[in-house]
Amino acid sequence: MNDKYEILNKTFGHSSFRDFQEDAVDTILNKNDLLTIIPTGGGKSLCYQLPALLLAGTAIVISPLIALMQDQVMALEEKNISAAMISSAQSSAQIDETINLMKSGELKLLYIAPERFSAYGFLDLLKTLNISFFVIDEAHCVSEWGHEFRADYRNLGLLKQNFPNTPVCAFTATATIKVQSDIVNALHIQNCNILRGITKRDNLKINIKKRIGNGRTQLINFLNNRENEIGIVYTFSRKEADTVASFLQEKNFKAKSYHAGLSTQIRDEVYKDFLYDRINIVVATIAFGMGIDKSNIRFVAHTSMPKTMENFYQEIGRAGRDGLSSDTLLLFTKADEIKRKAFIANDINIQYKDLLEEKLEYMYRFCISSNCRHQLIASYFNDTIKECEISCDNCTKGEVKQLNISTDAQKFLSALYRTNQSFGQTHIIDILRGSKVAKITQFSHQNLSVYSIGKDKSKNEWSAIVDRLLDVEALSIGEYKALKISNLGFEILKGKQSLFIDEDKIGNLPKDKAIKTKKVFENVNMDYFDKFKELRTGIANEQNVPAYIVFSDKVLIELSATLPKNKKEMLEVNGIGEVKYERYGEDFLNLSLDISNQ
Ligand code: ADP
């Protein structure tokens, strides 16, 4: 087998390349450096796994997490591809065995952690071996401007310095233009081919709601009818992860918590339970999930606002890697932003405080916005896309009553103007509501004509009005958090422009309705699907691998819909290649024939 299309078809079971994949494969085959930025689920692994099979020597894949490496090695072995990993958890005998495999030229892919390069003698050892190319997975970890920065990743510049003729290929799902150039410079791959996809995950439905109380009712509404679906719930703290997990268990969900406060043993257990479908929901802090490859995650919920857009996009990105429609829910309040800001301010170890605050503010603006969510995410990552129209709450909300808040907006802007645009929103709201706090008398603001003209509205309502003014950019946040009035703000102040707000964004929030989303399995014959699933579970248990490693849900859905009658038709199913067919094809074909004959 020496042709890329043949390998694509027979080993990976795909009929054609997706966007960027062929270009990436060719770049590597032509021995050039590469930076690929395509969204999660876009098919990055194939970009380097396929050329690894065509080139002599071993491709070294640098990956941030052991769990992720294990997963990848397992999936490759299922395809009869010779792959291994080296980790600090292994004995030196195991490591020697892997090195010998490399020396023999048999090993096609070797997964290692970036820290491995600090191990004495490792670099020298690599120099004696035949390396086809280097892959840096999750390459955004190289950049201090992104998120999840790791010093060990930054050191990977040493690869190009030590192996000037070996291609270095970096992959990530998220990189702003700034992060992109940081990666290129840090890795010394200035002449690399850059493949940059559009930041859009069509199959993810994004729903963002103000949290009511502790958000439990909203969470349960979201999880309604999802007892058999797989998902992740992200929480703010370890304690909350535990309490939400207990709450869900009481409601008969198969849920467990996962966070850094648990022992390694328990964390491993929970991770495996999730991977092998023994539980359906992991309730976790951000400690969970980096690089998780489980393809059948159908939902991701956040009980509070993540600290950056990168975090949010990566976390929701864990859903729907198989390309099937998946749902996400984010619950937030202004308090989330305040709490996170206080963390940043109080943590003396945090560098780049201004940058983090900026990211946090963008995240909040994103939550309160009435614009297309996918468009806002894309614009954060410097991409321009059209409105999604169907995949976010703002595009699909249909008829929501619009309230005219022009007069209230004028009151707010007027108070801001009369105080020389030198105060933040809390103080202006205090003036409007006639507060008697010391700061008011200190500045004699009780004497302003606008003092107490906004008594009829609660702090929350005023805060929603300010959110709306920020959202339409009638206001901006200046130095020391003082609000500044833009040209549009002055137009509103003078009554030349009106301002409206969605009814559900202000005042008493309506009782939370169950979010209506199109179910993935809506048009699938569930009897057939369940039969294929049962067969898959049996095989997975026998082989001791997670079910999705045998076949993804997507493959089972296609099998249920097409009921193939022979090998040829089986091979037409996306995700079934010759190798997988050899392993499991006949069992599934027999079942398909049984079902057809019933
Ligand atoms: P990423 O690493 O970019 O998140 P993966 O490499 O995990 O994405 O691939 C996501 C899914 O897309 C996998 O289920 C994979 O089998 C599938 N896939 C990859 N390439 C193709 C292709 N050319 N045609 C069809 N499916 C593909």
Side-chain angles (χ1 to χ4, degrees):
M1 235 188 324
N2 53 13
D3 169 73
K4 60 184 174 185
Y5 299 109
E6 199 177 344
I7 297 187
L8 177 70
N9 198 258
K10 294 201 166 145
T11 306
F12 293 92
H14 304 313
S15 48
S16 57
F17 282 110
R18 285 193 182 151
D19 286 357
F20 302 109
Q21 283 182 327
E22 188 165 10
D23 206 347
V25 168
D26 289 343
T27 304
I28 300 177
L29 292 177
N30 292 329
K31 297 263 170 190
N32 291 322
D33 298 328
L34 174 71
L35 170 58
T36 309
I37 304 159
I38 43 178
T40 314
K44 285 185 282 300
S45 14
L46 185 130
C47 297
Y48 60 84
Q49 289 172 353
L50 196 155
L53 301 184
L54 283 167
L55 293 170
T58 309
I60 308 283
V61 185
I62 296 133
S63 174
L65 273 191
I66 292 184
L68 173 59
M69 298 184 210
Q70 281 168 339
D71 219 56
Q72 292 266 352
V73 171
M74 195 156 50
L76 287 165
E77 283 174 345
E78 277 294 299
K79 296 188 178 88
N80 284 349
I81 297 172
S82 164
M85 61 184 275
I86 293 183
S87 87
S88 49
Q90 291 172 323
S91 67
S92 53
Q94 282 172 312
I95 296 179
D96 286 347
E97 197 183 317
T98 307
I99 305 282
N100 285 335
L101 259 182
M102 270 183 88
K103 283 184 180 156
S104 73
E106 272 176 52
L107 197 68
K108 294 286 53 170
L109 291 123
L110 174 72
Y111 287 79
I112 55 171
E115 301 85 58
R116 184 67 27 197
F117 288 99
S118 333
Y120 180 72
F122 186 70
L123 210 54
D124 291 333
L125 172 71
L126 283 188
K127 286 182 182 165
T128 66
L129 300 169
N130 185 7
I131 294 165
S132 48
F133 57 96
F134 290 101
V135 174
I136 299 170
D137 204 7
E138 311 283 353
H140 57 274
C141 297
V142 167
S143 172
E144 288 167 324
W145 303 112
H147 67 311
E148 299 175 321
F149 167 66
R150 288 175 57 154
D152 286 311
Y153 258 80
R154 191 113 193 132
N155 289 341
L156 292 176
L158 61 80
L159 292 177
K160 204 72 229 173
Q161 285 160 343
N162 284 275
F163 301 87
N165 300 318
T166 310
V168 169
C169 309
F171 290 84
T172 177
T174 46
T176 57
I177 296 294
K178 193 169 175 177
V179 170
Q180 173 182 313
S181 59
D182 204 16
I183 295 173
V184 166
N185 290 329
L187 297 178
H188 307 302
I189 51 171
Q190 280 81 358
N191 293 324
C192 69
N193 186 11
I194 297 179
L195 302 175
R196 194 180 163 93
I198 292 290
T199 311
K200 186 171 179 208
R201 294 283 309 277
D202 287 324
N203 65 325
L204 296 183
K205 306 273 181 269
I206 304 178
N207 274 294
I208 301 185
K209 300 219 148 205
K210 275 236 164 105
R211 191 173 56 247
I212 304 173
N214 63 10
R216 299 282 194 277
T217 313
Q218 289 164 297
L219 184 62
I220 283 297
N221 277 341
F222 176 70
L223 296 177
N224 206 1
N225 296 324
R226 289 178 198 269
E227 288 76 6
N228 297 319
E229 287 187 6
I230 309 283
I232 308 175
V233 178
Y234 281 107
T235 58
F236 183 76
S237 65
R238 300 172 184 185
K239 192 164 154 246
E240 196 197 350
D242 289 335
T243 48
V244 172
S246 310
F247 167 75
L248 292 179
Q249 284 160 7
E250 279 163 28
K251 302 277 178 194
N252 293 325
F253 286 95
K254 284 195 265 172
K256 280 191 181 172
S257 67
Y258 182 109
H259 52 74
L262 299 169
S263 68
T264 319
Q265 192 197 342
I266 294 185
R267 269 186 289 162
D268 282 353
E269 250 172 56
V270 177
Y271 181 76
K272 289 230 165 69
D273 283 347
F274 188 61
L275 222 53
Y276 287 79
D277 293 349
R278 292 191 286 261
I279 56 171
N280 288 349
I281 302 178
V282 170
V283 186
T285 57
I286 52 166
F288 182 78
M290 186 183 185
I292 189 167
D293 220 355
K294 192 172 162 62
S295 67
N296 62 339
I297 297 176
R298 289 275 71 83
F299 64 85
V300 169
H302 284 89
T303 61
S304 64
M305 189 182 86
K307 55 179 186 282
T308 68
M309 193 58 125
E310 287 97 333
N311 282 96
F312 175 67
Y313 189 60
Q314 283 241 333
E315 283 153 17
I316 61 167
R318 286 166 193 152
R321 287 177 81 104
D322 51 14
L324 297 176
S325 168
S326 305
D327 291 308
T328 75
L329 171 72
L330 191 170
L331 300 174
F332 78 100
T333 68
K334 180 81 184 163
D336 296 344
E337 192 201 8
I338 295 171
K339 204 150 68 170
R340 289 204 184 273
K341 259 196 190 153
F343 269 136
I344 298 172
N346 295 332
D347 191 335
I348 48 163
N349 295 317
I350 298 186
Q351 280 181 305
Y352 307 117
K353 285 190 186 210
D354 290 349
L355 179 73
L356 288 177
E357 279 201 5
E358 232 174 75
K359 284 173 185 269
L360 187 62
E361 277 161 16
Y362 191 95
M363 192 60 218
Y364 185 69
R365 296 269 295 278
F366 169 71
C367 289
I368 57 172
S369 180
S370 295
N371 298 331
C372 170
R373 308 284 188 191
H374 287 277
Q375 206 174 38
L376 288 166
I377 296 175
S379 124
Y380 181 84
F381 289 106
N382 310 111
D383 287 332
T384 310
I385 59 169
K386 288 198 189 116
E387 290 183 353
C388 72
E389 292 180 6
I390 50 168
S391 307
C392 81
D393 52 349
N394 283 338
C395 285
T396 55
K397 67 187 160 203
E399 287 293 291
V400 172
K401 201 169 153 196
Q402 299 282 302
L403 300 179
N404 188 334
I405 50 166
S406 308
T407 312
D408 292 318
Q410 282 167 345
K411 287 180 187 171
F412 187 88
L413 293 167
S414 165
L416 193 58
Y417 186 69
R418 281 160 208 274
T419 50
N420 301 321
Q421 304 179 67
S422 346
F423 293 88
Q425 71 167 349
T426 312
H427 186 68
I428 304 295
I429 293 174
D430 278 344
I431 296 174
L432 292 171
R433 299 190 73 247
S435 162
K436 297 195 166 54
V437 291
K439 199 169 167 187
I440 296 274
T441 35
Q442 185 191 341
F443 289 97
S444 302
H445 284 165
Q446 73 279 16
N447 300 328
L448 292 172
S449 59
V450 288
Y451 184 71
S452 116
I453 59 168
K455 260 190 174 145
D456 58 320
K457 292 211 151 37
S458 68
K459 278 188 187 168
N460 281 344
E461 285 168 314
W462 278 115
S463 168
I465 291 165
V466 179
D467 283 349
R468 184 70 186 132
L469 284 164
L470 285 167
D471 185 24
V472 298
E473 298 184 2
L475 286 180
S476 62
I477 300 174
E479 236 183 315
Y480 304 113
K481 305 296 150 219
L483 293 170
K484 301 278 171 227
I485 306 173
S486 71
N487 287 343
L488 173 66
F490 279 111
E491 299 264 290
I492 295 172
L493 182 58
K494 289 179 201 150
K496 290 185 182 160
Q497 286 275 355
S498 305
L499 187 68
F500 290 85
I501 192 168
D502 292 347
E503 191 180 28
D504 62 354
K505 289 212 158 62
I506 188 169
N508 292 328
L509 291 163
K511 274 231 168 334
D512 197 51
K513 290 187 219 89
I515 295 162
K516 294 225 172 17
T517 44
K518 192 165 169 281
K519 285 274 170 288
V520 169
F521 299 106
E522 210 155 56
N523 298 317
V524 180
N525 182 319
M526 285 314 282
D527 284 347
Y528 299 173
F529 181 80
D530 286 343
K531 283 186 182 153
F532 282 117
K533 198 168 158 189
E534 203 183 314
L535 176 62
R536 180 180 69 175
T537 308
I539 294 174
N541 289 343
E542 216 171 81
Q543 311 259 329
N544 203 20
V545 292
Y548 68 87
I549 293 274
V550 176
F551 282 136
S552 68
D553 280 5
K554 198 172 177 186
V555 170
L556 299 197
I557 287 177
E558 216 174 311
L559 286 173
S560 313
T562 55
L563 294 180
K565 293 186 189 52
N566 49 43
K567 179 175 172 181
K568 184 173 165 286
E569 286 180 18
M570 284 289 286
L571 289 175
E572 278 165 14
V573 174
N574 208 345
I576 305 186
E578 294 269 3
V579 181
K580 281 273 178 99
Y581 183 83
E582 284 310 313
R583 283 189 180 227
Y584 315 115
E586 277 189 23
D587 289 341
F588 283 86
L589 176 59
N590 288 339
L591 176 57
S592 172
L593 288 169
D594 278 355
I595 297 174
S596 306
N597 293 332
Q598 267 166 19

